[in-house]
Structures are given as structure tokens and as C-alpha cells.
Amino acid sequence: MNLNTITEVKRPRTAEEIGRWEDGHAWLAGGTWLFSEPQVAVDTLIDLPSLGWPPLTATPAGLEIAATCRIVELHEFSGPADWRAVPLFRQCIDAFLMSFKIWNAATVGGNLCMSLPAGAMIALTAALDGICTLWPRDGKARDVPVADFVTGNHANVLRKGELLRSIRLPASALSKRFALRQGSLTHLGRSAALVIGTVGDRSEDFLLTVTAATPKPVQLSFSKLPSATELRDALDQRLPLEGYFDDVHGVPQYKRHLTRYFAEQVRAELA
Ligand SMILES: Cc1cc2nc3c(=O)[nH]c(=O)nc-3n(C[C@H](O)[C@H](O)[C@H](O)COP(=O)(O)OP(=O)(O)OC[C@H]3O[C@@H](n4cnc5c(N)ncnc54)[C@H](O)[C@@H]3O)c2cc1C
């Protein structure tokens, strides 16, 4: 839709060019959400693609995903053979309810900054121990784990004018085995539960990440693969019924049922 309150679009080459942050400014990434509803409080858009950040940078230490990396670019990524978790990228992308436009324009950073429960890029990067690098308007860059970046439904730790620069996935997480389960109330509907497990070669460092069913990512970590009972007990202790997200995509009881069921399937697949 047209945003008829916009009076200026800035296209900076560096983030420093923006200087002072004013009320009414908004970072513009793919624009798939920004242009999907009226933004009456916004008068200036600051285009992020014009910063020209390389979308994906792979090194022996891991993968740096620029916030401006588009979903379609992440989908095309194929890493070194020992990064066994790379196919998880596509599975998470497929879990993302998308039109052709979103597929080609939406960015990984935009998805994190929207901080919706069904943010599939949040699920992916949290499950792979992602670390966000944030650039405040004044002051030093800071790092925040993806699992702590989102604080609730459409809420996160970003301060006024702060920019999400990138997400780093360590090689240690990219080398793990993984399993994913996802369910929706309707065929191709928005995720009601998205559960990902990752584990090391000798069944060590099992990490279960629950998203979509909860307002923010919930993670359970175990030094070795738990039994079915241990996992179920830990899940119920960490996530009482009130911890599940209640919306049109499913009531808490339904989301709890899916989460318990998927968690056990994930555990069994990785056993
Ligand atoms: C029909 C439809 C279906 C959708 N389905 C889903 C879904 O299933 N799951 C889901 O999570 N989302 C969904 N969305 C919301 C949205 O399209 C996606 O979350 C998308 O990934 C946002 O990315 P973008 O690059 O287009 O962000 P934009 O629309 O450009 O920006 C989104 C918000 O994030 C801010 N922002 C963007 N990048 C940065 C940055 N680097 N630093 C700081 N702030 C930033 C913007 O200022 C804005 O407030 C849907 C939207 C539509 C219209």
C-alpha cells in the first residue's frame, strides 16, 4: 500500500550518515510489513539495502548473515559439507507463510525485528546459537543472543533508532545434527508450533528450541540427549499453560499439545 505520510526516503551509504534519530524515522528493509499497513507515525524511511552489506559471509568460525540478507538469498546458500545444519535453513524458510513478494523482498533482519511468534528466521537463528550484533545510534556495538533478542510478541531489545547489523551462526552449531517439526491449524497456515532440536555427534549438547507456540523463543538445553520422560518433565516445568501464546492460530492447549508431541518426535529422531 502507499504510505502517504512519508515525506523523505534517505539512502545512506553508511549508518553514520543518519546521525540524530528523530521520532518518525523508520529503518526500511524489505518493506513487506512496513508497506502492508498504514504507518501514520512514520515520515522518513531509511533504506537499508543502500548500505550494501554482503548478505552472507562464511568463514571457518561460522556464518555471518547480514540483517539485509533476503530470504531468497539465504535459501540459495550451501555451506561446507561439515555444516550439516544448513538444510535447516530451507526447512525454516518453508515454514514461513509467504507470498512471492515476501519470498523475494523480506530480509532475515526484518523478520527478527518484527519479533512475531511465527518468525521462522528467529526460530532458525535461535536454534543455531545465533548472536545478533546491534548498532546503537550512539555508543558501541553490542552483541545479544537471538534467544534474548525477542522479548515478547512484537517486542525486542532494540532501543530507539538501534540497528540490527547481523546475525552470526557459530560453526559449532552449524555442524550439529538437527530435526524440525512444524504444525498449523490450517494447511499452509501460520505456524502454531515450530520445534527444532540440535545435537552433537556423540549425542551431546542437545538443544530444543520452541517458537510460534510461545511469544518468544524458549530453549531447553541438556548435556546429553534426554529420555522421553526427562524431556517432557523439563518442558512442562519450563512452559506452564500460561507460557503458550493465545491467538487465532491456536489456543494454548492446542499449542501445548503440538509442542509436547513435536518435542518427543524431534528427540526420537535424533536418538
Ligand atoms: C501476508 C503477510 C504474511 C506474513 N507472514 C509472516 C509470518 O508468517 N511470520 C512472520 O514472522 N512474519 C510474517 N509477516 C511479516 C513480515 O513480512 C516478515 O516478518 C518479514 O520477514 C519482514 O521483513 P522485511 O525485510 O520486509 O521487514 P520490513 O517490513 O522492512 O521491516 C519490519 C520492521 O523491522 C524494522 N527493521 C527492519 N530491519 C531492521 C534492522 N536491520 N534493524 C532495525 N530495525 C529493522 C523496520 O523498521 C520495521 O519496523 C507477514 C507479512 C505479510 C504482509
Side-chain angles (χ1 to χ4, degrees):
M1 71 185 306
N2 289 337
L3 298 181
N4 54 18
T5 53
I6 305 301
T7 54
E8 188 179 3
V9 179
K10 294 180 192 250
R11 293 199 166 78
R13 293 292 177 90
T14 66
E16 290 71 36
E17 276 176 43
I18 297 307
R20 208 175 122 85
W21 189 262
E22 306 284 354
D23 290 338
H25 282 183
W27 299 115
L28 169 63
T32 60
W33 176 76
L34 271 172
F35 284 93
S36 73
E37 53 185 72
Q39 306 290 344
V40 288
V42 178
D43 56 38
T44 304
L45 293 175
I46 303 165
D47 185 61
L48 290 175
S50 64
L51 294 168
W53 296 332
L56 293 160
T57 310
T59 67
L63 181 66
E64 182 180 78
I65 306 172
T68 46
C69 173
R70 292 177 301 130
I71 304 293
V72 65
E73 292 169 319
L74 190 66
H75 192 266
E76 283 158 13
F77 178 75
S78 59
D82 60 337
W83 286 6
R84 285 176 301 174
V86 168
L88 182 60
F89 295 11
R90 289 187 179 197
Q91 291 191 20
C92 285
I93 290 169
D94 290 343
F96 187 6
L97 174 65
M98 274 186 295
S99 64
F100 172 80
K101 204 157 52 176
I102 293 184
W103 175 267
N104 284 288
T107 63
V108 176
N111 192 250
L112 266 76
C113 294
M114 281 303 294
S115 301
L116 299 176
M121 298 302 98
I122 299 168
L124 170 70
T125 53
L128 295 179
D129 296 339
I131 303 286
C132 299
T133 296
L134 311 182
W135 283 1
R137 290 290 69 231
D138 41 19
K140 283 194 179 146
R142 60 184 182 125
D143 284 349
V144 177
V146 175
D148 298 332
F149 176 82
V150 179
T151 53
N153 176 30
H154 203 27
N156 57 47
V157 300
L158 284 175
R159 298 176 189 145
K160 198 172 165 183
E162 197 167 27
L163 183 59
L164 170 60
R165 167 62 182 88
S166 60
I167 305 102
R168 287 193 318 278
L169 306 181
S172 54
L174 286 162
S175 307
K176 288 169 85 176
R177 293 187 294 127
F178 73 89
L180 172 147
R181 292 292 185 279
Q182 180 263 357
S184 309
L185 257 184
T186 54
H187 182 54
L188 298 179
R190 190 170 281 197
S191 297
L194 176 55
V195 178
I196 300 170
T198 60
V199 75
D201 265 342
R202 288 176 300 280
S203 296
E204 80 283 12
D205 295 336
F206 176 72
L207 179 67
L208 189 86
T209 303
V210 178
T211 58
T214 51
K216 61 186 287 290
V218 170
Q219 293 190 302
L220 300 175
S221 63
F222 299 81
S223 54
K224 61 181 181 56
L225 202 77
S227 67
T229 314
E230 284 168 342
L231 182 60
R232 171 69 175 261
D233 289 349
L235 193 57
D236 285 352
Q237 200 174 355
R238 180 70 190 279
L239 260 180
L241 190 60
E242 316 81 76
Y244 289 88
F245 187 56
D246 191 1
D247 71 349
V248 293
H249 305 291
V251 295
Q253 286 84 351
Y254 169 67
K255 290 180 176 169
R256 180 176 63 182
H257 169 74
L258 285 186
T259 303
R260 285 172 170 171
Y261 182 67
F262 289 158
E264 173 48 22
Q265 285 201 341
V266 160
R267 189 203 68 81
E269 183 178 322
L270 293 174

